[in-house]
């Protein structure tokens, strides 16, 4: 049955009526912070308050870890028959799909991303991820090691126990699913700490998981600030692993917290400064489209956004012109509840100011603002920055080295391939990269030389749940997505039996 797509005013009416749940979700029910404190959550779309959220601290983390530990130890989830685990997780995926409009609206109001993306990407990808991992429940096998006669050595993968998942605000539902999907299917319990900027969809997931039949205590969602709620979770002696996605700076703290507490496992998905290397023979229309969408999608608030362009000097100016043209004609900035908008608001005022300050730094360093560069739509009360191109950037400039995390691409020219490879690798990060050329020999040379977790050739941001995602160097270690992600939430146990 065809339904008429909702208009901006339909979405605004829904936004006015929505009453998001802001309490923590612990041991299968919503509870206020033990201190009774809340913080006001404003929408970056227009600065208006959308929810009062529990301002959780160490006591709430303690309660959530206790519930998660009890659930793990009594085996109410871990020891369920595999087919039953699968059924529950598949039901959760279906409930997420059935809640599409509600979840999409929460995501857009919370972080300012456009509603068309929340509807077509964030919510469906979250459901698909839970479904993908559900299927492993009754299809994963342990190993039998080769031994001599009269011995049987079984190598089992066992869940770790209580997983602390700490996530950022840029793709709240997708990154949460990347963590809870593999962690839950492996039999662990989870305490999830969403970013303070984006707690609402995660809190909703708690209730959907309960409706799906996930036993109480297996998934707990504790909203709050990094220092106040994230830190006690990462330091907790009864948490077996921290699965973290966020900045490199805070990722390094996770390693310290693990060392200062119980040597818990740590998996880190951190920042990026992904380069596009565009050779002289590249298809410039394809490259311009890949580059523009790769940096302006989600307002550039994407860890692997292609924020550096390293272009051959002979085509650099034409490429810059075409990137600007794609931005102008295909990626309109607008009110996030307008279904036609492709770029929305940055997540908060401080972040917008940080992005604008980098554009100023670029200018002071000698870059030319070839497009954009300004705050716009200030009259809405929201935080919007134009799609921006900084041209004439040198590899030593801060705008070529530091993560801006906004709609700003830095363009640098090169003259020979080895210089381009050197520039691509001249970074503390190694999350992703792209190579644009028709010469497959050059493509293979560059893909083997570039240090990054994903290297695309003649495309950008194509992926599936079957491929691992994560970085080299200070972009982190451990991978989300793919069957390999399950490995990090488990460990080997050898059971050796001698028989006669
Ligand atoms: P952030 O590091 O500021 O925060 C991430 C999470 O850590 C939040 O939940 C926050 O509350 C928590 N936190 C902050 N300080 C803490 C502390 N002292 N102890 C414990 N927890 C603490 O990052 P952000 O601003 O939310 O997100 C943007 C960053 O995330 C960017 O650097 C981006 O590249 C990165 N990111 C990486 C990936 C990836 O897969 N590699 C994906 C998305 C985002």
């Amino acid at each position: 049955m065809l339904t008429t797509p909702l208009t901006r005013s339909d979405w605004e009416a829904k936004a006015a009526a929505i009453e998001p749940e802001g309490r923590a979700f612990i041991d299968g029910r919503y509870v206020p912070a033990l201190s009774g404190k809340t913080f006001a959550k404003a929408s970056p779309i227009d600065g208006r308050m959308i929810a009062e959220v529990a301002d959780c601290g160490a006591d709430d983390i303690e309660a959530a870890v206790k519930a998660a530990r009890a659930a793990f130890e009594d085996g109410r989830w871990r020891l369920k028959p595999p087919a039953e685990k699968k059924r529950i997780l598949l039901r959760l995926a279906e409930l997420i799909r059935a809640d599409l409009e509600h979840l999409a609206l929460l995501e857009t109001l919370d972080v300012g991303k456009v509603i068309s993306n929340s509807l077509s990407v964030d919510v469906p990808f979250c459901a698909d991820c839970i479904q993908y991992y559900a299927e492993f429940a009754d299809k994963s096998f342990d190993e039998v090691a080769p031994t001599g006669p009269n011995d049987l050595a079984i190598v089992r993968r066992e869940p770790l126990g209580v997983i602390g998942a700490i996530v950022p605000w840029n793709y709240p539902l997708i990154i949460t699913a990347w963590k809870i999907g593999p962690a839950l299917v492996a039999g662990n319990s989870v305490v999830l700490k969403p970013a303070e900027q984006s707690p609402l969809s995660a809190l909703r997931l708690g209730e959907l998981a309960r409706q799906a039949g996930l036993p109480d205590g297996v998934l707990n969602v504790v909203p709050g600030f990094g220092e106040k709620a994230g830190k006690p979770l990462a330091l907790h002696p009864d948490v077996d692993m921290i699965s973290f996605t966020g900045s490199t700076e805070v990722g390094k703290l996770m390693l310290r917290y693990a060392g200062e507490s119980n040597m818990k496992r740590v998996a880190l998905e951190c920042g990026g400064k992904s380069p596009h290397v565009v050779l002289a023979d590249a298809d410039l229309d394809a490259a311009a489209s890949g580059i523009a969408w790769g940096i302006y999608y989600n307002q550039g608030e994407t860890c692997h956004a292609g924020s550096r362009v390293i272009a051959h000097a002979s085509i650099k100016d034409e490429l810059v012109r075409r990137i600007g043209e794609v931005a102008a004609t295909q990626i309109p900035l607008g009110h996030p509840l307008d279904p036609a908008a492709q770029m929305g608001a940055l997540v908060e005022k401080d972040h917008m100011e940080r992005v604008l300050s980098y554009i100023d730094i670029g200018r002071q360093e000698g870059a030319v603002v070839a497009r954009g560069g300004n705050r716009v739509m200030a009259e809405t009360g929201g935080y919007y920055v134009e799609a921006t191109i900084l041209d004439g950037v040198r590899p030593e400039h801060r705008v070529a080295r530091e993560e801006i995390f906004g709609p700003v691409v830095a363009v640098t020219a090169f003259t020979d391939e080895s210089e381009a490879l050197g520039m691509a690798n001249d970074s503390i990060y190694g999350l992703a990269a792209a190579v644009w050329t028709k010469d497959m020999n050059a493509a293979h040379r560059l893909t083997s030389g570039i240090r990054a977790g994903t290297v695309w050739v003649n495309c950008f941001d194509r992926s599936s749940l079957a491929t691992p995602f994560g970085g080299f160097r200070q972009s982190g270690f451990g991978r989300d997505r793919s069957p390999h992600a399950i490995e990090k939430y488990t460990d080997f146990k050898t059971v050796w039996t001698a028989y006669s």
Side-chain angles (χ1 to χ4, degrees):
M1 190 181 70
L2 282 177
T3 50
T4 320
L6 298 178
T7 62
R8 173 171 166 181
S9 48
D10 295 332
W11 282 111
E12 283 176 334
K14 283 177 183 287
I18 202 167
E19 287 180 14
E21 176 59 70
R23 290 173 298 169
F25 185 80
I26 298 176
D27 210 8
R29 61 199 182 94
Y30 286 112
V31 288
L34 286 164
S35 65
K37 287 188 189 153
T38 58
F39 64 92
K41 174 68 189 91
S43 174
I45 289 177
D46 50 16
R48 270 189 290 190
M49 294 303 154
I50 46 173
E52 287 289 329
V53 178
D55 186 2
C56 292
D59 290 353
D60 307 285
I61 291 292
E62 186 61 40
V65 173
K66 215 167 149 194
R69 173 59 61 192
F72 184 76
E73 294 303 332
D74 71 17
R76 69 187 83 159
W77 172 245
R78 168 171 66 97
L79 299 180
K80 264 201 195 312
E84 177 62 8
K85 266 195 210 148
K86 181 175 79 171
R87 261 194 296 276
I88 290 172
L89 291 175
L90 288 178
R91 219 177 288 140
L92 174 57
E94 283 313 315
L95 288 170
I96 292 167
R97 291 189 182 110
D99 208 36
L100 173 67
E101 282 184 5
H102 183 80
L103 280 169
L105 187 56
L106 288 179
E107 205 79 323
T108 288
L109 293 175
D110 227 4
V111 301
K113 65 174 67 205
V114 295
I115 192 73
S116 59
N117 291 347
S118 297
L119 284 169
S120 65
V121 177
D122 295 78
V123 179
F125 280 26
C126 170
D128 290 351
C129 179
I130 300 295
Q131 175 173 324
Y132 178 83
Y133 285 106
E135 293 291 350
F136 285 89
D138 60 357
K139 296 179 188 65
S140 304
F141 292 78
D142 290 330
E143 297 168 7
V144 176
T147 59
N150 305 109
D151 283 305
L152 173 64
I154 301 172
V155 183
R156 286 164 47 174
R157 279 210 169 264
E158 301 229 332
L160 295 176
V162 176
I163 309 295
I166 301 182
V167 296
W169 45 260
N170 57 337
Y171 293 93
L173 279 170
I174 292 177
I175 292 172
T176 294
W178 287 1
K179 308 229 177 277
I180 67 172
L184 291 177
V185 81
N188 297 284
S189 300
V190 176
V191 177
L192 169 69
K193 210 296 280 172
E196 50 273 34
Q197 298 88 346
S198 60
L200 302 181
S201 58
L203 290 169
R204 176 75 183 147
L205 273 188
E207 167 60 14
L208 296 180
R210 192 193 62 75
Q211 287 176 19
L214 196 73
D216 294 350
V218 177
L219 175 64
N220 305 276
V221 187
V222 186
F225 290 83
E227 274 280 322
K228 230 172 126 184
K231 186 174 175 182
L233 179 61
L235 278 170
H236 202 290
D238 207 21
V239 169
D240 298 286
M241 175 187 177
I242 287 289
S243 185
F244 172 82
T245 297
S247 61
T248 291
E249 187 190 349
V250 178
K252 289 180 182 178
L253 290 178
M254 298 298 141
L255 295 171
R256 273 194 21 210
Y257 297 152
E260 284 166 16
S261 55
N262 59 341
M263 222 164 82
K264 56 176 66 68
R265 315 288 165 89
V266 178
L268 300 175
E269 297 285 0
C270 297
K273 191 76 186 173
S274 303
H276 287 271
V277 177
V278 188
L279 301 193
D281 70 342
D283 174 340
L284 290 191
D285 280 333
S289 173
I291 292 166
W293 282 104
I295 185 66
Y296 302 132
Y297 183 85
N298 210 46
Q299 310 72 246
E301 295 168 326
T302 301
C303 48
H304 61 275
S307 51
R308 291 189 288 153
V309 171
I310 299 166
H312 192 271
S314 63
I315 48 93
K316 194 258 300 168
D317 290 348
E318 179 57 18
L319 181 65
V320 166
R321 191 189 67 73
R322 293 192 201 187
I323 297 169
E325 201 173 274
V326 175
T329 57
Q330 296 178 33
I331 316 179
L333 173 70
H335 192 284
L337 292 178
D338 178 348
Q342 291 294 335
M343 263 176 74
L346 293 173
V347 73
E348 58 188 358
K349 186 161 181 272
D350 285 359
H351 184 56
M352 175 190 71
E353 284 168 357
R354 186 170 170 274
V355 170
L356 291 169
S357 81
Y358 267 111
I359 296 171
D360 280 343
I361 290 168
R363 276 197 192 98
Q364 285 157 24
E365 288 176 316
V368 174
V369 180
R371 185 187 197 281
N374 301 303
R375 178 181 185 183
V376 287
M377 293 169 55
E379 70 287 355
T380 59
Y383 315 121
Y384 302 84
V385 172
E386 293 172 295
T388 299
I389 303 176
L390 295 178
D391 194 5
V393 172
R394 300 279 320 142
E396 63 275 16
H397 288 169
R398 284 181 62 192
V399 291
R401 310 192 74 77
E402 297 172 20
E403 189 181 41
I404 299 174
F405 220 54
V408 183
V409 67
V411 183
T412 307
F414 73 90
T415 48
D416 73 69
E417 192 185 303
S418 61
E419 184 192 13
L421 178 60
M423 286 181 192
N425 280 337
D426 184 14
S427 173
I428 62 164
Y429 300 111
L431 193 51
V435 175
W436 298 88
T437 178
K438 296 191 185 92
D439 176 351
M440 281 300 124
N441 292 319
H444 284 299
R445 281 193 301 272
L446 285 163
T447 54
S448 75
I450 290 174
R451 301 280 296 156
T454 302
V455 187
W456 286 285
V457 178
N458 294 330
C459 62
F460 193 78
D461 209 10
R462 289 173 76 87
S463 68
S464 87
L465 284 162
T467 54
F469 181 80
F472 286 21
R473 300 171 163 168
Q474 293 186 43
S475 290
F477 52 83
R479 293 289 184 267
D480 285 329
R481 297 199 322 230
S482 84
H484 299 292
I486 301 173
E487 292 162 14
K488 70 184 185 212
Y489 298 104
T490 62
D491 212 342
F492 291 119
K493 178 190 276 179
T494 301
V495 180
W496 191 294
T497 308
Y499 59 95
S500 51

